[in-house]
């Protein structure tokens, strides 16, 4: 490894070794997050290269890092974005301890956050240091924003709060998580995903309504649990009824090389091109409503009058509360008694345009580096902090970091799963990509 490669590996390992597991305190048995540890590490590392850094915190144990190389003018500002918290990991399920940052003989770095997303945070930090060491003076501001509380968000100490508290942090362009997987297609093409947006959320609680009774006489009353079971059967796995979306149509057209006429046919054909697409594309074409939380009787010998399930509804940008309610009621039918409750407010999905100067710049940088994979703009089925960036005034926020030595299957399997790992060659690849992108856009 050359010195830059060794540097990014060491920074990544240092970040992984901070246990920043983020979940409700009752589930962890301790305070969640503790992101001030990695934020302080990054501050010291960046400051060593003369970069202006600060920790911005609502909770002193859960700091956000903000670093900036000021621009001289004449170009848009660019932010490298990431989060330093991770989901919990049970060591019993791992080949290597999840916070030891083991590098195996094959060159894979194992650990919680190796993919989601301390690898990208490290690469972006090292890229910024490399630019500063070289004397790079950007025409527009170059930011590094590494935030807390992305994986849970309930403490509201991360990106949403940071942008509200600091109106001076308003980059024009942002590169975050959510893309970079290389997908070889049967026709010989290779595409590389780039996240242009995220679905939103609007969970619903479905309450089956019956009549209470004693469990020893099941025919007396109307047990709400079997009623809920029938409603659950109708929901099924929660896959969506397909609806047209210009953003999804664009993805399908890139994959198929032709306009979308029949949505069902286009999704079927495109999903067959790669195993990863077989899961992601069908989930993108409408409102998913996966059943997750079930509640029945508080006592075994009581047949309840009410039983409920919560549906984790993920919605396309532009979907309204009325759209979700109509989709759920259509799925459930009207012949059984139930009520709908809405435990949380709608969080709208959002997206950046799939064609932009930033998209062109990313394509140019990859091509200059000999990467012949075509970019595949896609919505994310999950959530990223780019939602808050767009809402605060960053119109173009994409998810991208290139991967070549870590397969799409390993990447996909690593998100929130055991044995998360990334090949160390992709850490250097990401550093070099971000250096070149900053020079291309701001140089």
């Amino acid at each position: 490894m050359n010195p830059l490669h060794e540097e990014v590996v060491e920074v990544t390992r240092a970040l992984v070794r901070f246990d920043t597991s983020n979940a409700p305190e009752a589930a962890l048995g301790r305070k969640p997050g503790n992101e001030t540890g990695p934020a302080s590490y990054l501050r010291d590392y960046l400051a060593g290269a003369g970069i202006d850094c600060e920790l911005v915190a609502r909770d002193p144990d859960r700091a956000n890092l903000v670093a900036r190389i000021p621009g001289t003018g004449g170009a848009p500002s660019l932010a490298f974005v990431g989060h330093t918290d991770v989901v919990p990991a049970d060591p019993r399920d791992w080949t290597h301890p999840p916070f030891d940052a083991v590098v195996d003989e094959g060159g894979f770095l194992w650990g919680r956050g190796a993919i989601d997303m301390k690898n990208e945070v490290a690469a972006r930090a090292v890229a910024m240091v490399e630019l500063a060491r070289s004397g790079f003076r950007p025409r527009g501001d170059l930011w590094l924003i590494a935030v807390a509380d992305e994986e849970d968000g309930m403490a509201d100490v991360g990106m949403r709060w940071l942008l509200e508290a600091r109106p001076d942090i308003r980059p024009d362009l942002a590169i975050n998580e959510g893309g970079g997987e290389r997908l070889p297609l049967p026709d010989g093409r290779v595409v590389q995903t780039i996240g242009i947006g995220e679905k939103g959320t609007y969970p619903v609680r479905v309450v089956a309504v019956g009549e209470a009774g004693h469990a020893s006489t099941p025919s007396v009353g109307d047990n709400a649990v079997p009623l809920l079971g029938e409603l659950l059967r109708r929901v099924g796995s929660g896959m969506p009824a397909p609806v047209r979306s210009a953003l999804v149509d664009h993805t399908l057209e890139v994959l198929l090389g032709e306009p979308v006429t029949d949505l069902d046919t286009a999704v079927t054909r495109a999903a067959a091109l790669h195993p990863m697409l077989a899961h992601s594309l069908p989930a993108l074409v409408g409102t998913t409503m996966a059943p997750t939380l079930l509640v029945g009787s508080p006592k075994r010998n009581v047949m309840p009058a009410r039983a409920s399930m919560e549906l984790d509804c993920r919605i396309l940008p532009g979907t309204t509360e009325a759209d979700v309610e109509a989709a759920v009621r259509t799925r459930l039918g009207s012949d059984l008694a139930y009520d709908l409750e809405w435990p949380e407010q709608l969080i709208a999905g959002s997206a950046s345009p799939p064609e932009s100067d930033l998209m062109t710049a990313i394509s140019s940088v990859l091509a200059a580096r000999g990467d012949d994979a075509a970019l595949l703009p896609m919505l994310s089925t999950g959530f990223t902090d780019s939602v808050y960036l767009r809402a605060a005034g960053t119109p173009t926020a994409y998810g991208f970091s290139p991967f070549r030595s870590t397969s799409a299957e390993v990447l996909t399997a690593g998100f929130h799963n055991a044995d998360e790992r990334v090949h160390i060659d992709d850490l250097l690849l990401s550093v070099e990509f971000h250096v070149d992108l900053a020079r291309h856009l701001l140089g």
Side-chain angles (χ1 to χ4, degrees), residues 204-207 228 230-236 289 309 311 325-336 338-340:
V204 58
R205 184 180 298 117
V206 180
V207 183
L228 181 67
E230 172 57 21
L231 294 171
L232 179 59
R233 186 194 67 79
R234 295 178 185 185
V235 171
M289 49 187 80
M309 61 179 170
L311 307 181
E325 181 172 354
V328 172
R329 290 193 183 278
T330 297
R331 186 71 61 91
L332 297 179
S334 58
D335 58 322
L336 295 177
Y338 65 86
D339 295 326
L340 297 183

Side-chain angles (χ1 to χ4, degrees), residues 162-240:
L162 175 66
L163 294 174
E164 179 181 75
R166 291 290 299 272
D168 59 307
I169 303 173
R170 293 295 184 271
D172 300 306
L173 310 170
I175 293 289
N176 194 5
E177 63 179 331
E181 299 95 340
R182 296 176 66 85
L183 309 180
L185 305 183
D187 60 8
R189 291 181 298 152
V190 178
V191 295
Q192 200 161 191
T193 63
I194 180 167
I196 59 170
E198 293 80 21
K199 295 182 83 175
T201 65
Y202 191 39
V204 58
R205 184 180 298 117
V206 180
V207 183
V209 180
E211 181 183 347
H214 198 289
S216 66
T217 53
S219 61
V220 177
D222 190 9
N223 189 347
V225 171
L227 298 177
L228 181 67
E230 172 57 21
L231 294 171
L232 179 59
R233 186 194 67 79
R234 295 178 185 185
V235 171
S237 64
M239 293 300 290

Side-chain angles (χ1 to χ4, degrees), residues 31-400:
K31 185 176 179 179
N34 296 313
E35 297 96 337
T36 296
S40 299
Y41 170 86
L42 289 170
R43 177 198 58 196
D44 296 343
Y45 169 68
L46 293 158
I51 297 171
D52 293 335
C53 304
E54 60 179 318
L55 300 186
V56 185
R58 186 179 188 177
D59 179 334
D61 294 325
R62 309 199 67 182
N64 306 285
L65 171 87
V66 178
R68 182 174 70 106
I69 300 177
T72 59
S77 54
L78 171 66
F80 296 157
V81 178
H83 62 86
T84 55
D85 62 325
V86 297
V87 297
D90 187 336
R92 295 173 296 182
D93 301 327
W94 287 67
T95 301
H96 302 286
F99 298 104
D100 280 8
V102 170
V103 177
D104 67 18
E105 293 182 355
F108 279 92
L109 192 162
W110 299 64
R112 178 57 86 221
I115 291 296
D116 187 14
M117 61 169 299
K118 290 177 176 178
N119 61 322
E120 293 183 38
V121 172
R124 288 167 181 153
V126 173
M128 200 169 188
V129 165
E130 178 69 3
L131 287 163
R133 284 190 299 228
S134 72
F136 178 63
R137 292 295 177 263
R139 290 183 296 125
D141 289 346
L142 177 61
W143 298 86
L144 175 67
I145 306 171
V147 300
D149 200 28
E150 191 271 351
E151 294 289 5
D152 183 68
M154 297 304 294
D156 195 24
V157 295
M159 183 68 82
R160 196 214 66 80
W161 171 82
L162 175 66
L163 294 174
E164 179 181 75
R166 291 290 299 272
D168 59 307
I169 303 173
R170 293 295 184 271
D172 300 306
L173 310 170
I175 293 289
N176 194 5
E177 63 179 331
E181 299 95 340
R182 296 176 66 85
L183 309 180
L185 305 183
D187 60 8
R189 291 181 298 152
V190 178
V191 295
Q192 200 161 191
T193 63
I194 180 167
I196 59 170
E198 293 80 21
K199 295 182 83 175
T201 65
Y202 191 39
V204 58
R205 184 180 298 117
V206 180
V207 183
V209 180
E211 181 183 347
H214 198 289
S216 66
T217 53
S219 61
V220 177
D222 190 9
N223 189 347
V225 171
L227 298 177
L228 181 67
E230 172 57 21
L231 294 171
L232 179 59
R233 186 194 67 79
R234 295 178 185 185
V235 171
S237 64
M239 293 300 290
V243 296
R244 292 298 291 269
S245 160
L247 294 166
V248 177
D249 279 2
H250 185 86
T251 300
L252 295 171
E253 288 166 6
V254 172
L255 287 167
L256 299 176
E258 60 186 36
V260 175
T261 52
D262 180 78
L263 180 58
D264 286 340
T265 300
V267 171
T268 299
R269 289 177 55 204
L273 295 176
H274 192 277
M276 197 196 86
L277 299 173
H279 293 288
S280 58
L281 287 179
L284 282 178
V285 295
T287 296
T288 57
M289 49 187 80
T292 53
L293 302 177
L294 301 176
V295 177
S297 175
K299 285 181 63 64
R300 187 175 60 250
N301 64 348
V302 175
M303 298 189 304
R306 286 174 174 78
S308 67
M309 61 179 170
E310 288 196 21
L311 307 181
D312 182 5
C313 297
R314 302 298 175 114
I315 59 178
L316 288 167
T319 302
T320 66
E321 289 94 338
D323 293 332
V324 177
E325 181 172 354
V328 172
R329 290 193 183 278
T330 297
R331 186 71 61 91
L332 297 179
S334 58
D335 58 322
L336 295 177
Y338 65 86
D339 295 326
L340 297 183
E341 299 174 354
W342 308 94
E344 297 175 16
Q345 292 184 334
L346 181 145
I347 298 177
S350 70
S352 299
E355 297 177 353
S356 68
D357 291 342
L358 180 55
M359 186 72 71
T360 301
I362 293 171
S363 296
S364 298
V365 168
L366 293 172
R369 299 187 59 79
D371 191 332
D372 59 354
L375 289 175
L376 176 64
M378 288 190 69
L379 287 175
S380 171
T381 56
F383 172 87
T384 78
D385 279 327
S386 293
V387 168
Y388 299 128
L389 285 163
R390 296 189 194 100
T394 300
T396 307
Y398 292 149
F400 187 78

